[in-house]
Amino acid sequence: MGMKTKVALGAVVGIVVIGAVSANSGSGNDGNGGNGGGTSAAADKDAGGSAGKADDAAKSDSGDKGASKASQAEQFKAFVAKNGTPKEKDAVAHVVKIQGADQQNDILDSADVYTDFTGGLMGEGSGPSKLIASAFADWKDSKNGLVTVYDADGEIITNGNF
């Protein structure tokens, strides 16, 4: 990847992060009776109650994570095996690891898919990696998600929105 591409990618990521932070900074209580103050407190109360239950469930699952829960890559492969096209199934067979697919907040979601392809952007996995990104978008949904597909050496092959 060239230096200009790295600088441009860094600038885009910086702008997205600044936009996400500024969009969230105006949602607090500013003391002037803003937009639905009572509703916001009720929503926060409900979210806190259900979040506490979800945290308790996550804590109980963390002890036996490997025993009963399939990895993200296994879940993705099972989804594509059930719902994917034959070409997507062939492409997804090269997936070895997925990170970040289980943690989404719809602000800046990012998932990484690692494959056993070689050669980076111009290698053998260029075409199939686009199918992997497309199948990932069918599997997960986010308002602002980005999936990045990497080769065996950790070089970016492609990315796409989900």
Side-chain angles (χ1 to χ4, degrees):
M1 190 180 324
M3 184 57 118
K4 289 181 181 179
T5 306
K6 288 181 183 178
V7 170
L9 183 61
V12 169
V13 169
I15 290 170
V16 169
V17 169
I18 290 170
V21 169
S22 66
N24 287 331
S25 66
S27 64
N29 186 1
D30 58 2
N32 59 4
N35 195 0
T39 306
S40 176
D44 290 342
K45 180 180 171 186
D46 290 342
S50 61
K53 293 175 187 173
D55 288 343
D56 292 342
K59 288 178 185 174
S60 67
D61 288 343
S62 64
D64 58 345
K65 183 177 180 181
S68 65
K69 188 175 179 182
S71 72
Q72 295 174 42
E74 291 168 346
Q75 293 173 12
F76 178 53
K77 287 180 179 182
F79 173 83
V80 173
K82 182 178 179 184
N83 302 311
T85 66
K87 288 187 177 187
E88 286 176 336
K89 292 175 186 177
D90 291 340
V92 169
H94 293 276
V95 172
V96 294
K97 181 180 177 183
I98 297 178
Q99 290 181 323
D102 59 345
Q103 301 170 352
Q104 294 184 2
N105 59 13
D106 285 338
I107 295 173
L108 185 60
D109 296 329
S110 169
D112 299 322
V113 178
Y114 298 92
T115 66
D116 59 2
F117 293 120
T118 57
L121 188 60
M122 300 305 231
E124 64 180 304
S126 180
S129 67
K130 293 182 189 305
L131 290 171
I132 293 170
S134 174
F136 189 91
D138 291 340
W139 181 50
K140 292 289 184 178
D141 189 31
S142 172
K143 291 180 183 177
N144 190 22
L146 178 69
V147 59
T148 305
V149 182
Y150 296 91
D151 71 358
D153 295 326
E155 295 183 34
I156 294 177
I157 303 174
T158 192
N159 57 24
N161 296 327
F162 70 93

